[in-house]
Amino acid sequence: MENYIKEMNQEESIDFKQLFFKFYRYWYFFIITIFIAMIIAFLFNKYTEPVYKVSTTVMVKDDKTGFDPQALLGLGNLKSNQNLENEIGVLKSRSLVNRAIRALDFRVSYYMEDNFITRELYTQSPFTVVFDTAFPQPAGLRFNLKILPENQFSLSTEGEAAFLYSFAKNQQLEDISKQVTISGTFGFGQEIKGRYHNFKVVLNPNYVPKEHMGKNMFFVFNKTEDLARQFMGYTIEPINREASIVEISLRSNNMHKAADFLNMLTTTYLQRSLEKKNQIATNTINFIDDQLLGISDSLQMAEMNLQQFRTTNEVMNLDFQSQQVFTMMRDLEERKAELIVKNEYYLYLQNYLRNNEDNIDGLTVPSSMGIDDPVLATLINELTRLYAERGEALLTAREKNPIIASFDDRIRVNKKTLEENIKNIVNTSNIAIRDINNRINQLSSRINRLPSTQRALFGIERKFKLNDAIYTFLLEKRSEAQITRASNMPDNEVIDEATVDQLQPVFPKKTLNYTIAFLLGLVFPVIYVLGKDYFNDKLIDKKDLESLTSLPMIGHVIHNSKDSQIVVAEYPKSSISESFRSIRTNLSYYAQNKEKQVILITSTMVSEGKTFTAINLASIFALYGKKTLLMGYDLRKPKIYQDFGLSNTEGISSFLINRSDLQGIIQKSPLDNLDIVMAGPVPPNPAELIASDRNDELIDGLKEIYDFIIIDTPPVGLVTDAFLLMKYADVKVFVVRQNYTNKKVFGSIIADIESRNIPNMTILVNDVKMDKNSYGYGYGYGYGYGYGYGYGSGYGYGYYTDDQEPEEEGLVDKMFRKS
């Protein structure tokens, strides 16, 4: 708990001076990153094509209470309550975009390359590609063009994804990416024809020889689908919550092209709205025209027969009695004619509903034919509303959506009800026609009593009047529908058209880019330095140790650049040997100058240099002239014998199980005054053997023989063997390795050791890299313990022989000779 509070206090206090110097050490990094960031910003601003924001505004009117000429003509109120979100969905629809693009001349795009920048020559191209839309062209293929003297130009193709595209059908035909090859010189106006292309290139008034001669230009045939994807990026937003005015904006490199597209989009939107309103009137006119085609022939023939009969029989008019009968017959025939026309409409409506399940756009409403049946009108209006709401829902949902399925069910029920209603109306109409026919038959009996000439004239005039009544009725309704269509106006209105006057680029923003570049040049090094420290979970400097433990540091061992593990014996004058001499001196203070000492070496985990430290510490004591014993107490993974080239057949384990005596396990090393006791064969129960009384006898016996005993134990973070051996040691050395030992693991283990109150526990730092850029370990360890080595690349310069080779007959040679 005390260590935790200490750590928290240290974290809360910020040493700004140290932080400054930490950043100052990387001053060159700051300069480099700022310079690179500013260069990138400069190149980005220079070579990025500017982007402009072009916008237009449209008012979606929601006031439907004004004058409606359709209602006055008996066609009903065709205006629907428009929803702003639905209208935005229409404006964003792909079908509207495709229609707007087809209305513009975007089929060929022209470009020029200049100083690594490619810009589109919209309305500024010095040449025009003329082609027959009936002949498919290779869309997506790049045609490189360079204007030459003498009214000629060079043309070549470049590209991998080309498609044969029919502009007449707006349809892709086939993939021809590897089948179109053009390379040559042509004259302007010359036909360039091949299997997959047929066009001409002509100069236009934009051509200026000094500006365009020899420039790299190219053109591309565009598919409507590709253009639609390119222009679908516009945004639509209401100008505020209360208003029904929306702003349509588009970001583009070519502001003129974007403005033309937005203006055509709004124009097409208004045309669509007007066509929607005119659709019922148009359907009515088309239906009446179909009926007039049949009745006009019958009327013409009846008129010719009447004229011929009067001329032949010299009869012009009927007498008074015949006239009365004729008048009554004419009224009945007119009513019959009206019923016949309406009956035709009912049959048409019945067939239309059966044959058109997906939509009713071509439906003719009953009121346009003079039919005022309220039930029929209500059902048709309800069906029209359901289809409209289903179409609006499809803008944001798919066919399998439950909402669409609900609309389909309601439409199905409504259609069934409507068909039953039409069936009943047809039956009623047929009854009315039969009644009129009966009354006509009664009059016919009176006609039969007339003279033959008058009777014949009456029959001819009757047929003529019937056809004439039907024809007149249809013409009247057709005129009403035409007046209705002519009086319609779009429900919505364009407030401001898209213009390019005084437009400023919205991208790139040069000043902002330079500011961001400068800040990023500062931020990246700061993030790197702080992130390097923050994410590092290894022990790096002296503060890391001080924040985790209060145990004293007995010294440090610099990085071993030699190939040998027994570096002290082979390089006795090296700087690393001097670091072990410093540790040897410091150990004497902790052992209170005892003549005989037991020193235990342990660590957190493997590969921290525990065995390396034990070997060389034992070697430094042996070189000091003290009788020294190195004991490999890592019974689980013995390896000291490999470094000395000795045998591991007998050792501590064989002694502890009474298979070897004391003298049998002691082996002589090549180094004077240094003996070694190996771990021996790996036992199944090493912890139990170490805790046995036999182990006490072993240590007590060896203390009588040797001045210094160095015990190499297993890591305390893995097994408990080291804790069992600590009672024999006068000094315990805990080895940590710079930039390797994990902070959290070390902190957890060292906290457990401190809680046990183990006496004379010290810390030794291994593998310290001494260079002029290091801080912490680079100049801290050794201070207060006898040696302050300084730091830098000249570590101990002039005092040590780190670069010399071992003597001709060194330790290794002695090992092999002995073996």
Side-chain angles (χ1 to χ4, degrees), residues 18 92 134 142 244 255 348 391 403 427 468 524 554 579 598 622 631 734 746 754:
Q18 181 188 8
K92 288 287 291 184
R142 171 170 168 166
S244 61
M255 55 183 174
Y348 150 80
I403 297 176
N427 292 334
D468 183 64
F524 281 145
I554 198 170
S579 64
V598 178
M631 300 185 70
F734 197 102
F746 172 77
E754 290 180 345

Side-chain angles (χ1 to χ4, degrees), residues 50 58 67 104 123 132 140 150 169 232 254 273 275 297 300 312 367 464 478 490 510 557 576 616 701 709 722 757-758:
V58 176
F67 174 75
L104 292 164
T123 69
D132 184 3
E150 299 180 358
K169 301 178 181 179
M232 281 293 291
N254 195 314
S273 175
E275 289 171 1
D297 293 338
Q300 186 177 7
T312 303
S367 58
F464 169 76
R478 187 176 188 276
K510 297 184 178 181
V557 178
I576 193 170
N616 288 282
I709 300 176
N757 294 320
I758 300 174

Side-chain angles (χ1 to χ4, degrees), residues 239-417:
I239 60 173
N240 57 57
R241 293 183 179 180
E242 291 75 19
S244 61
I245 299 177
V246 295
E247 180 187 59
I248 309 173
S249 59
L250 175 64
R251 294 172 179 259
S252 175
N253 301 117
N254 195 314
M255 55 183 174
H256 296 280
K257 192 172 186 179
D260 289 347
F261 168 75
L262 290 182
N263 290 330
M264 182 56 67
L265 181 73
T266 54
T267 301
T268 305
Y269 170 67
L270 297 182
Q271 289 176 350
R272 178 188 178 278
S273 175
L274 186 59
E275 289 171 1
K276 195 77 173 178
K277 295 183 68 175
N278 290 335
Q279 186 172 12
I280 293 178
T282 302
N283 293 340
T284 302
I285 293 172
N286 293 335
F287 172 77
I288 292 174
D289 288 341
D290 291 337
Q291 299 298 317
L292 287 174
L293 289 177
I295 200 65
S296 60
D297 293 338
S298 299
L299 178 62
Q300 186 177 7
M301 184 173 293
E303 185 179 9
M304 291 176 60
N305 291 336
L306 177 60
Q307 183 179 0
Q308 184 177 4
F309 182 83
R310 284 177 173 174
T311 303
T312 303
N313 297 281
E314 297 180 353
V315 178
M316 297 302 295
N317 295 305
L318 299 172
D319 58 17
F320 177 73
Q321 183 181 5
S322 300
Q323 189 67 38
Q324 283 185 324
V325 175
F326 180 78
T327 302
M328 296 173 63
M329 184 68 74
R330 183 185 62 190
D331 292 339
L332 291 174
E333 292 290 356
E334 287 179 354
R335 292 176 59 188
K336 181 180 178 181
E338 185 176 346
L339 287 174
I340 290 173
V341 172
K342 290 181 178 180
N343 210 38
E344 288 291 332
Y345 170 76
Y346 296 140
L347 295 175
Y348 150 80
L349 185 60
Q350 199 172 40
N351 292 330
Y352 187 88
L353 292 175
R354 291 174 181 174
N355 299 328
N356 295 273
E357 297 182 356
D358 297 333
N359 62 76
I360 55 171
D361 293 339
L363 182 65
T364 302
V365 297
S367 58
S368 64
M369 299 303 300
I371 300 173
D372 298 325
D373 190 312
V375 177
L376 180 63
T378 301
L379 290 174
I380 290 180
N381 289 336
E382 176 66 15
L383 184 63
T384 304
R385 185 185 64 80
L386 290 174
Y387 269 108
E389 291 180 358
R390 183 182 185 275
E392 293 171 357
L394 282 174
L395 295 175
T396 56
R398 296 185 178 180
E399 287 282 351
K400 297 182 180 180
N401 193 291
I403 297 176
I404 305 300
S406 174
F407 277 117
D408 291 339
D409 292 338
R410 293 162 64 187
I411 289 172
R412 196 177 302 111
V413 172
N414 185 279
K415 274 190 173 183
K416 186 175 181 181
T417 305

Side-chain angles (χ1 to χ4, degrees), residues 11-106:
E11 287 183 354
E12 290 176 359
S13 60
I14 300 176
D15 189 346
F16 290 100
K17 184 176 181 181
Q18 181 188 8
L19 194 62
F20 171 78
F21 281 106
K22 180 181 290 187
F23 292 140
Y24 180 74
R25 291 177 56 247
Y26 294 92
W27 62 269
Y28 56 90
F29 191 19
F30 282 88
I31 293 177
I32 292 173
T33 53
I34 291 175
F35 178 76
I36 293 175
M38 297 298 283
I39 289 295
I40 293 174
F42 171 76
L43 295 176
F44 183 81
N45 289 336
K46 181 177 178 61
Y47 293 105
T48 300
E49 191 172 359
V51 176
Y52 300 88
K53 180 181 178 181
V54 186
S55 62
T56 181
T57 53
V58 176
M59 176 185 290
V60 180
K61 297 180 181 179
D62 54 5
D63 183 12
K64 307 301 177 186
T65 61
F67 174 75
D68 187 3
Q70 294 177 339
L72 299 180
L73 292 172
L75 298 181
N77 186 1
L78 304 180
K79 295 182 178 180
S80 60
N81 293 325
Q82 293 176 306
N83 181 275
L84 183 60
E85 294 297 327
N86 293 336
E87 293 304 310
I88 291 177
V90 173
L91 283 166
K92 288 287 291 184
S93 63
R94 184 176 295 274
S95 60
L96 190 69
V97 174
N98 286 338
R99 181 173 173 180
I101 289 174
R102 285 195 289 268
L104 292 164
D105 189 15
F106 287 174

Side-chain angles (χ1 to χ4, degrees), residues 321 442-452 454-455:
Q321 183 181 5
Q442 293 176 3
L443 288 176
S444 296
S445 61
R446 293 177 61 185
I447 294 172
N448 290 332
R449 293 195 291 269
L450 296 174
S452 59
Q454 291 185 346
R455 187 169 63 248

